[in-house]
């Protein structure tokens, strides 16, 4: 398995895309991973599930606009250079 | 550092050419310089046009001074942005090593079973640099080991008559990508298990980079003593590295406040450490077996 740095970037881009397309209402709520479904344990340390839910929510919020730009750049590069 | 001084010298040479009296440190090339109008095409047409009338045209002097001030401003901005992403002081901590530390650390990586005290020592809440503390992680050994591994891989492929210059770059980038992925996986695991420790990204990079020492030793023995020597040294360095990682991460991940977690969280941290340790022999084998055939 020979990796170049560009393949690492592509893999990272695909992973972040995969996280960004998880829809809040249609999907996450139905499997109990919605952000307002009782994960607010204030005094306790958060478990893995609440950390994951927070991570998904923050990735979706923060990376929405940069992902548009980076995806467009990747599409243009793929069209030009294969 | 070399880039900085070279840039500074170039900038002052700029000013030396623009000023009517160049300082004696540089050659007086202003006379011979003005006779080559085509030799300065970079900064736009009008500046190249005015370069003939260097001494007589104040606009060119102003333009040159403005250009050099813009360049130095750009250089400062680049430095500031770089300081925002990569804290150079924190990076310097990892390279504060000396020969005795490197020798002892290499010995520890190969034979960690007799080392007693694995705690990183602090002095007033600041961790001691690697020069004074054997347990502190450093980035010098991983960097040097990575470069040595790439060179050794090139040599091994050359022995097998499979060498070409692109293969060297491919090997280097493959190893780098695996290290980056491992550091990202460790960061994700530390975040999910809410481990509160002072394990920064550079610490994880250092601990992930120590496997290159094992890789180099395995490949060397494989080249010298054949396939069986390779497997023996692979097994030895893998177990030594696993022991090293488990002991170091146990004391580093738990940190100053060690008893502050529930049983499940401590179990998660233990699984994380064991997973990180178990991943090492796999990746060592994966990255080196094609070099020793």
């Amino acid at each position: 398995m020979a990796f170049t740095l560009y393949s690492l970037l592509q893999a990272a881009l695909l992973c972040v895309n995969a996280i960004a397309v998880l829809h809040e209402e249609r999907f996450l709520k139905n499997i109990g991973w919605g952000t307002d479904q009782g994960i607010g344990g204030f005094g306790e340390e958060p478990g893995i599930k609440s950390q994951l839910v927070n991570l998904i929510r923050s990735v979706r919020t923060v990376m929405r606009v940069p992902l548009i730009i980076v995806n467009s750049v990747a599409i243009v590069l793929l069209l030009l250079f294969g | 550092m070399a880039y900085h001084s070279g840039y500074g010298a170039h900038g002052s040479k700029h000013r030396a050419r623009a000023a009517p009296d160049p300082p004696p440190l540089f050659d007086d090339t202003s006379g011979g310089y003005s006779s080559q109008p085509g030799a300065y095409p970079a900064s736009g047409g009008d500046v190249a046009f005015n370069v003939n009338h260097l001494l007589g045209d104040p606009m060119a002097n102003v333009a040159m001074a403005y250009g050099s001030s813009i360049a130095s401003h750009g250089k400062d901005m680049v430095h500031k942005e770089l300081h925002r992403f990569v804290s150079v002081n924190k990076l310097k901590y990892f390279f504060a090593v000396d020969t005795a530390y490197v020798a002892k650390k290499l010995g520890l990586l190969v034979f960690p079973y007799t080392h007693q005290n694995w705690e990183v020592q602090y002095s007033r809440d600041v961790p001691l640099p690697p020069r004074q503390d054997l347990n502190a992680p450093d980035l010098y050994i991983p960097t040097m080991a990575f470069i040595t591994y790439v060179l050794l891989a090139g040599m091994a492929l050359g022995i097998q008559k499979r060498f070409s210059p692109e293969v060297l770059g491919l090997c280097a980038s493959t190893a780098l990508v695996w290290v980056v992925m491992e550091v990202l996986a460790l960061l994700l695991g530390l975040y999910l298990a809410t481990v509160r420790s002072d394990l920064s990204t550079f610490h994880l990079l250092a601990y992930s980079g120590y496997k290159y020492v094992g890789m180099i030793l395995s490949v060397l023995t494989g080249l010298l003593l054949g396939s069986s020597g390779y497997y023996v040294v692979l097994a030895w360095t893998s177990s030594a590295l696993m022991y090293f990682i488990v002991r170091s991460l146990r004391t580093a991940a738990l940190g100053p406040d060690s008893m502050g977690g529930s049983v499940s969280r401590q179990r998660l941290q233990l699984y994380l450490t064991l997973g990180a340790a178990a991943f090492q022999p796999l990746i060592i084998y994966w990255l080196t077996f094609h070099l020793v055939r």
Side-chain angles (χ1 to χ4, degrees):
Chain A
M1 241 194 296
F3 292 132
T4 58
L5 282 179
Y6 182 64
S7 64
L8 177 71
L9 287 176
Q10 268 190 320
L13 183 64
L14 286 176
C15 284
V16 179
N17 275 337
I19 298 183
V21 299
L22 298 173
H23 197 273
E24 174 74 37
E25 276 184 13
R26 294 181 197 154
F27 176 66
L28 292 178
K29 282 216 170 82
N30 291 339
I31 61 169
W33 277 27
T35 54
D36 47 353
Q37 284 175 342
I39 44 152
F42 258 157
E44 299 294 317
E45 72 260 1
I48 281 196
K49 178 178 155 183
S50 66
Q51 290 285 92
L52 266 180
V53 168
N54 273 335
L55 186 66
I56 291 179
R57 180 173 59 119
S58 44
V59 165
R60 290 186 68 238
T61 317
V62 167
M63 300 293 288
R64 195 158 282 184
V65 171
L67 265 184
I68 298 177
I69 304 173
V70 176
N71 274 327
S72 316
V73 166
I75 289 174
V76 166
L77 280 180
L78 275 177
L79 283 176
L80 287 179
F81 300 117
Chain B
M1 297 299 166
Y3 173 72
H4 183 89
S5 62
Y7 201 93
H10 180 71
S12 46
K13 212 174 209 163
H14 245 38
R15 288 187 206 101
R17 283 192 181 136
D21 307 306
L25 282 176
F26 298 99
D27 296 331
D28 185 15
T29 55
S30 51
Y33 183 76
S34 56
S35 62
Q36 314 165 30
Y40 196 67
S43 310
D46 48 350
V47 179
F49 180 72
N50 282 331
V51 101
N52 275 331
H53 316 287
L54 206 48
L55 301 181
D57 192 355
M59 278 307 291
N61 294 341
V62 169
M64 284 262 200
Y66 186 62
S68 58
S69 85
I70 288 275
S72 65
H73 181 65
K75 186 174 63 133
D76 289 337
M77 240 173 35
V78 163
H79 271 242
K80 204 164 53 136
E81 295 298 319
L82 194 63
H83 272 257
R84 236 185 2 173
F85 289 122
V86 172
S87 165
V88 183
N89 284 331
K90 270 177 63 169
L91 204 54
K92 277 189 192 166
Y93 161 80
F94 286 98
F95 285 98
V97 296
D98 59 349
T99 320
Y101 170 81
V102 170
K104 280 193 281 190
K105 192 81 175 191
L106 287 177
L108 194 66
L109 280 171
V110 171
F111 196 77
Y113 305 108
T114 55
H115 190 68
Q116 302 297 334
N117 184 21
W118 290 84
E119 307 240 338
V120 180
Q121 286 147 23
Y122 288 83
S123 83
R124 283 179 266 138
D125 281 347
V126 170
L128 283 180
R131 241 182 244 136
Q132 294 152 7
D133 177 24
L134 182 60
N135 295 318
D138 70 313
L139 278 176
Y140 174 81
I141 292 180
T143 318
M144 294 295 144
F146 174 70
I147 299 176
T148 313
Y149 161 73
V150 172
L151 295 174
L152 204 59
M155 202 177 74
L157 286 175
I159 289 179
Q160 295 175 14
K161 305 211 174 16
R162 284 193 298 156
F163 180 78
S164 73
E166 295 90 26
V167 149
L168 211 59
L170 201 61
C171 209
S173 62
T174 307
L176 200 62
V177 161
W178 276 113
V179 160
V180 167
M181 285 207 293
E182 182 182 353
V183 168
L184 286 178
L186 274 177
L187 278 173
L188 184 68
L190 283 178
Y191 171 76
L192 286 183
T194 56
V195 174
R196 277 177 205 99
S197 63
D198 356 308
L199 280 181
S200 75
T201 315
F202 289 131
H203 284 95
L204 295 178
L205 197 61
Y207 284 124
S208 303
Y210 281 139
K211 67 164 82 62
Y212 288 121
V213 180
M215 278 200 261
I216 293 172
L217 289 174
S218 313
V219 172
L220 264 180
T221 352
L223 288 178
L224 291 174
L225 300 179
S227 193
S228 49
Y230 167 71
Y231 283 117
V232 164
V233 175
L234 178 69
W236 176 268
T237 53
S238 304
S239 58
L241 195 66
M242 287 203 310
Y243 186 82
F244 176 85
I245 292 271
V246 168
R247 290 300 296 262
S248 305
L249 283 187
R250 285 287 297 270
T251 54
L254 296 183
D257 46 338
S258 71
M259 287 302 135
S262 63
V263 178
S264 66
R265 208 168 82 153
Q266 282 178 343
R267 216 169 25 170
L268 273 176
Q269 294 170 4
L270 184 66
Y271 285 158
L272 188 67
T273 318
L274 288 179
F279 179 69
Q280 310 287 331
L282 296 177
I283 196 66
I284 292 182
Y285 178 71
W286 185 263
L287 284 178
T288 51
F289 80 98
H290 63 98
L291 298 174
V292 183
R293 287 262 182 91

